[in-house]
């Protein structure tokens, strides 16, 4: 059967008090609307269509990589009107349509599939995903008749005293028979307290035509919508816990999951241990047996097996097996650190390749360089990659020993098996097997302290 999904994401999100469209606010590192899209992508949908309006260009740009189609709702006249704007998308289609909102990111693949199966098996024309909540404030209420069948949905603002006491709420997520839905959309009116075309009114319209309406209730956590920054933080906390638990179930130790921030798309292999204060973002992959001591930020990086990291920032880079990073290292995008290497305290690596077994233990800057294996950088080495106009490249062979406080002025090549004397400023190529010294010769002025009368 043909199955498609429509995501409503045209609203303003006034209560967020933001310049950013609401659905682009991130939860665990990913835009809310992309959470919904990615979940639906794993549910065998033939097509996904996003209704956009407020900040349409921005929302389109942020979702572009997902390969979906769009409907435009120029004026936000309500959720029912949003559906009318998707008519072109739905035209001539047969099958079922599921509807979601871009501001409820916690919906899961299992629940979407459950909704669809329930809808199909019960031969309903419309099925509502509902939840029982303690505090139903703000939500539409599910009104059932004496036989406990769904009669209609009434918005909070339109509820009678009695309806307000109903604890079963509308999640804003549904499954419809496409034909029944389009045929009845035109009957919606905006004769209600908000002057909007409510999608929820379709239920009553279908019911009055004798259609079978289903309702399936799920964990209220899953359908939580975000209307404010406080709700954003609550949803973030719920998802953060869920992500951490998933990793723990896969064999990762997380010492304090309330203070560990792992993005939704991060992959971590077993026996890795994560201390508090780590922020792991984007498409990062952390392989087996790594030790993440406190307070690092790792984004879009690959960390191979048995790597130790502490108090460092690693962005869009690759760290080889058994390597140690930090404390206080900064590895910037497009860097590749080899196996058994060391990037120690106050070391910054920018867009550089570092070979296996190379040690850069302290207070060093390496930019735009290709460094071989088995090298040793003394404390305070600087690769001088910028001449004020352009960035230049440094190439260092294997087993080079760079003395403390050396400057390597790029473009430059240091061949394999070389020594650079401490304190040298190197501006010319150093051939293999050489020691390069480039500093003033030492001169001792005997008796100088006495002569100056400075002896204490
Ligand atoms: C809606 C439901 C309510 C349900 C609640 C669940 C209606 C009338 N009410 O109320 O029963 O309990 O969701 O969270 O449907 N949107 C558009 N275009 C519009 C208006 C809204 O695209 O013209 C989008 C918004 O961007 C948002 C979603 O639809 O993603 C829901 O809109 P919102 O205004 O938040 O509806 P609620 O008042 O929360
Ligand atoms: Ca809402």
């Amino acid at each position: 059967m043909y199955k498609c999904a429509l995501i409503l994401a045209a609203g303003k999100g006034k209560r967020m008090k933001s310049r950013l469209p609401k659905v682009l606010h991130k939860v665990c590192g990913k835009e809310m609307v992309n959470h919904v899209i990615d979940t639906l992508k794993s549910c065998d949908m033939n097509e996904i269509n996003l209704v956009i309006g407020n900040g349409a260009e921005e929302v389109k740009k942020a979702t572009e990589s997902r390969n979906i189609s769009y409907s435009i709702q120029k004026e936000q006249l309500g959720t029912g009107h949003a559906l009318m704007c998707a008519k072109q998308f739905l035209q001539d289609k047969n099958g079922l349509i599921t509807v979601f909102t871009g501001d409820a990111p916690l919906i899961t693949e299992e629940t979407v599939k459950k909704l669809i199966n329930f809808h199909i098996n019960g031969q309903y024309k419309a099925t509502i995903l509902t939840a029982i909540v303690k505090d139903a404030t703000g939500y539409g209420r599910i009104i059932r008749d004496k036989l406990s069948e769904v009669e209609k949905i009434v918005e909070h603002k339109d509820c009678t005293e009695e309806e307000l006491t109903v604890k079963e709420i509308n999640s804003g997520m549904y499954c419809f028979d496409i034909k029944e839905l389009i045929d009845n959309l035109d009957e919606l009116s905006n004769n209600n307290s908000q002057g909007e075309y409510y999608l929820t009114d379709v239920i009553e319209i279908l019911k009055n035509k004798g259609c079978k309406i289903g309702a399936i209730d799920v964990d209220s956590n899953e359908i939580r919508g975000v209307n404010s920054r406080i709700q954003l933080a609550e949803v973030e906390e719920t998802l953060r816990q869920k992500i951490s638990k998933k990793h723990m179930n896969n064999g990762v130790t997380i010492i304090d999951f309330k203070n560990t921030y792992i993005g939704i798309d991060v992959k971590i292999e077993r026996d890795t241990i994560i201390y508090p204060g780590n922020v792991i973002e984007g498409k990062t992959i952390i392989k087996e047996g790594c030790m993440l001591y406190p307070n690092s930020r790792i984004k879009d990086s690959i960390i191979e097996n048995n790597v130790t990291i502490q108090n460092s920032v690693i962005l869009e880079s690759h760290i080889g097996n058994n390597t140690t990073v930090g404390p206080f290292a900064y590895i910037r995008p497009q860097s590749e650190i080899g196996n058994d290497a060391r990037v120690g305290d106050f070391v910054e690596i920018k867009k550089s390749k570092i070979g296996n077994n190379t040690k850069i233990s302290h207070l060093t800057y390496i930019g735009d360089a290709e460094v071989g294996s088995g090298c040793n950088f003394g404390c305070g080495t600087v690769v001088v990659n910028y001449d004020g106009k352009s960035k230049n490249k440094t190439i260092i062979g294997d087993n080079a020993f760079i003395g403390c406080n050396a400057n390597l002025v790029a473009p430059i090549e240091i061949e394999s098996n070389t020594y650079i004397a401490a304190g040298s400023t190197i501006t010319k190529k150093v051939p293999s097997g050489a020691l390069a010294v480039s500093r003033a010769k030492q001169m001792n002025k005997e008796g100088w302290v006495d002569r100056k009368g400075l002896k204490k």
Side-chain angles (χ1 to χ4, degrees):
M1 193 199 302
Y2 175 86
K3 286 180 226 151
C4 65
L6 197 70
I7 305 170
L8 310 188
K12 216 189 223 117
K14 259 194 221 143
R15 282 166 287 177
M16 295 297 283
K17 308 214 168 122
S18 178
R19 288 179 201 281
L20 194 67
K22 175 164 80 172
V23 297
L24 295 188
H25 283 265
K26 288 183 179 174
V27 170
C28 292
K30 183 151 90 181
E31 299 82 5
M32 290 198 274
V33 68
N34 280 331
H35 277 279
V36 181
I37 296 172
D38 290 350
T39 299
L40 292 171
K41 285 231 145 186
S42 52
C43 297
D44 322 307
M45 295 291 173
N46 294 74
E47 274 174 277
I48 297 174
N49 187 272
L50 191 65
V51 183
I52 52 178
N54 260 295
E57 280 314 306
E58 269 176 280
V59 177
K60 208 168 169 179
K61 204 162 160 237
T63 53
E64 225 160 32
S65 63
R66 265 81 182 171
N67 235 328
I68 55 171
S69 59
Y70 300 88
S71 299
I72 307 284
Q73 185 189 25
K74 283 215 184 78
E75 263 184 299
Q76 283 68 54
L77 305 179
T79 49
H81 180 255
L83 263 281
M84 295 175 194
C85 295
K87 255 193 180 166
Q88 209 171 10
F89 167 72
L90 292 171
Q91 239 166 31
D92 308 320
K93 285 183 174 138
N94 257 312
L96 63 80
I97 174 176
T98 53
V99 178
F100 298 87
T101 63
D103 63 354
L106 298 181
I107 187 71
T108 62
E109 184 185 331
E110 298 76 58
T111 299
V112 174
K113 288 181 173 165
K114 223 159 93 184
L115 168 70
I116 293 173
N117 288 335
F118 186 85
H119 178 84
I120 295 174
N121 294 338
Q123 295 179 313
Y124 297 108
K125 295 298 180 199
T127 303
I128 313 159
L129 204 62
T130 72
I132 312 289
V133 295
K134 278 201 204 86
D135 179 11
T137 309
Y139 285 104
R141 308 297 205 278
I142 306 294
I143 308 301
R144 292 174 180 266
D145 62 18
K146 285 183 205 99
L147 298 169
S148 189
E149 301 218 359
V150 176
E151 207 172 5
K152 58 182 175 180
I153 301 172
V154 183
E155 287 308 292
H156 182 105
K157 287 182 181 155
D158 302 300
C159 276
T160 61
E161 288 280 309
E162 198 193 337
E163 286 165 342
L164 280 176
T165 63
V166 173
K167 298 291 180 217
E168 187 182 12
I169 56 128
N170 170 28
S171 67
M173 305 175 199
Y174 323 79
C175 191
F176 293 101
D177 177 275
I178 295 177
K179 278 268 161 304
E180 291 294 349
L181 179 67
I182 337 188
D183 289 351
N184 289 291
L185 274 179
D186 291 337
E187 292 190 27
L188 292 178
S189 83
N190 60 357
N191 185 17
N192 51 51
S193 66
Q194 303 189 77
E196 288 183 3
Y197 294 92
Y198 291 163
L199 173 58
T200 45
D201 288 346
V202 166
I203 300 297
E204 194 177 5
I205 293 169
L206 290 176
K207 178 78 183 182
N208 289 339
K209 291 196 171 161
C211 291
K212 230 179 131 188
I213 311 292
I216 171 169
D217 73 299
V218 294
D219 179 355
S220 61
N221 265 326
E222 257 194 57
I223 53 124
R224 279 234 299 273
V226 171
N227 296 317
S228 66
R229 305 267 183 169
I230 291 173
Q231 288 170 340
L232 185 71
E234 287 166 356
V235 161
E236 167 96 22
E237 195 181 344
T238 304
L239 188 60
R240 193 192 311 146
Q241 266 200 35
K242 200 175 146 192
I243 292 170
S244 284
K245 284 181 181 161
K246 174 188 82 183
H247 290 297
M248 290 191 269
N249 281 328
N250 288 341
V252 175
T253 295
I254 298 176
I255 308 271
D256 177 3
F257 66 80
K258 292 214 163 95
N259 289 298
T260 304
Y261 307 83
I262 304 173
I264 181 100
D265 296 321
V266 169
K267 296 199 170 83
I268 309 177
E269 294 184 7
R270 67 176 170 189
D271 290 327
T272 280
I273 299 177
I274 305 177
Y275 280 77
N278 278 292
V279 181
I280 309 171
E281 305 176 310
K283 304 262 183 223
T284 295
I285 299 174
I286 297 177
K287 302 229 172 129
E288 275 190 43
C290 290
M291 199 62 161
L292 271 55
Y293 287 113
N295 301 327
S296 290
R297 174 171 177 232
I298 305 172
K299 180 173 176 262
D300 291 319
S301 295
I302 298 176
I303 314 294
E304 298 288 351
N305 299 306
N306 305 312
V307 170
T308 302
I309 302 171
Q310 186 170 179
N311 268 292
S312 294
V313 176
I314 302 175
L315 310 174
E316 296 164 45
S317 290
H318 185 278
I319 314 290
N321 294 309
N322 313 315
T323 286
T324 324
V325 176
F328 314 115
Y330 182 20
I331 299 181
R332 292 166 55 189
Q334 297 177 56
S335 293
E336 236 178 87
I337 318 293
N339 301 330
D340 305 291
R342 165 155 184 72
V343 178
D345 49 84
F346 306 104
V347 171
E348 177 174 339
I349 310 277
K350 180 234 157 183
K351 206 178 176 185
S352 295
K353 254 192 191 163
I354 309 292
N356 298 337
N357 277 305
T358 286
K359 313 287 187 227
I360 311 161
S361 295
H362 14 237
L363 298 161
T364 289
Y365 171 73
I366 296 182
D368 303 301
E370 258 175 53
V371 178
S373 60
C375 294
N376 189 84
F377 284 76
C379 185
T381 302
V382 175
V383 166
V384 185
N385 60 327
Y386 186 51
D387 58 13
K389 256 192 181 159
S390 47
K391 303 278 160 71
N392 297 301
K393 186 137 191 153
T394 295
I395 295 176
I396 300 176
D398 298 334
N399 305 314
F401 183 97
I402 317 286
C404 287
N405 217 28
N407 295 311
L408 310 178
V409 182
I412 196 162
E413 186 177 358
I414 316 282
E415 289 191 343
S416 294
N417 302 304
T418 45
Y419 275 69
I420 307 293
S424 293
T425 292
I426 303 296
T427 54
K428 288 192 299 232
K429 175 171 174 165
V430 180
S432 182
L435 161 73
V437 195
S438 166
R439 63 184 185 222
K441 270 232 164 74
Q442 184 170 337
M443 174 176 70
N444 293 335
K445 296 193 173 179
E446 300 281 346
W448 184 88
V449 176
D450 269 351
R451 274 203 309 282
K452 289 277 176 187
L454 294 171
K455 195 164 179 189
K456 288 195 180 125

